[in-house]
Amino acid sequence: MTALPLASRARRAAFVSALCAGLVAAVTSLAGCSGSEDPDAGTNGVGKLSASKIQSKAGKAAETASAVRLSGTVVSKSHTYTLDMRLKGEGGTGSVTSKGQTFQLLKVGEQLYLKADTQFWTHDGKEGDGKSGQSDATAAAKLDGKYVKVPQGDPAYQQLSGFTDKDELLDGMLALHGKLAVGDRGKTGSLRSIKITGDDGAGGTLSVSLDGKPYPLRLDRGGDAGTLKLTDWNKDFALQEPGKDEMVDYGKQLPTS
């Protein structure tokens, strides 16, 4: 009568013992794997490279990409510019905000267009006095919400076209200064990334994707000179010159008001 329960208990004890041993072995095995896991497994491999080589690969990836969206802030000569530009080889489009004024830029090939409101064209909102002020306001009202074609000989052309030139803008923005070093790994948005720094961050910090191509994803400029995000790599967008009813052509020079 007692033999069966004893045998049953013995088998159950043996089963539990075996189960526990299996679990211990499994946990030990997992712990062993995690301790020796390759951090570059499943990545594009740039995490194994030196900082200068990571920067070089990120630069080449950016150069060969067909399109990118660049957004964030840039501080230059005590002025802060807020950018939201979409760029590709044929031109670019987007907005720039400075001193509380926002204007739209559109470049198709070599043709550059600027669109802003009345306040932008009236000396940053200072309309002047008397007939001069009335004249400025009248001229500005005609430009409100219209694309103004920027003549290539106008000084503003060179100043503004840089915001719409993919290669020029990225070459200037992505440079780090000082001694380069590899920084921390982490995530930038949804992508795994690795940082490279110039002079421990004083010369800027660039986050580079470890997933897919090594595109630059974020730039923290040195000296608190702004932060830029780089997204929508190779995502195409439409570029089209404005229609005649949307545009004003001033010929050789922009209006001075």
Side-chain angles (χ1 to χ4, degrees), residues 188-208:
T188 303
S190 62
L191 298 175
R192 291 176 293 176
S193 61
I194 189 167
K195 293 179 179 180
I196 53 174
T197 63
D199 280 347
D200 295 323
T205 299
L206 183 66
S207 297
V208 178

Side-chain angles (χ1 to χ4, degrees), residues 44 46 54-55 57-62 207-217:
N44 54 28
V46 298
I54 295 174
Q55 184 183 46
K57 284 189 173 291
K60 288 179 180 177
S207 297
V208 178
S209 178
L210 289 171
D211 293 319
K213 290 190 176 182
Y215 291 121
L217 301 177

Side-chain angles (χ1 to χ4, degrees), residues 51-124:
S52 61
K53 289 184 177 180
I54 295 174
Q55 184 183 46
S56 176
K57 284 189 173 291
K60 288 179 180 177
E63 181 182 355
T64 57
S66 61
V68 64
R69 181 176 183 179
L70 186 68
S71 59
T73 59
V74 174
V75 181
S76 177
K77 298 179 180 179
S78 301
H79 295 304
T80 299
Y81 300 89
T82 301
L83 311 179
D84 189 357
M85 300 296 303
R86 300 191 69 179
L87 310 167
K88 60 182 179 179
E90 298 81 11
T93 183
S95 66
V96 179
T97 300
S98 178
K99 298 180 182 179
Q101 299 289 321
T102 298
F103 54 91
Q104 306 289 322
L105 289 175
L106 170 64
K107 188 178 182 185
V108 184
E110 295 302 315
Q111 302 300 326
L112 177 65
Y113 303 91
L114 167 66
K115 182 169 72 171
D117 60 16
T118 302
Q119 189 179 25
F120 176 87
W121 294 108
T122 53
H123 301 292
D124 294 328

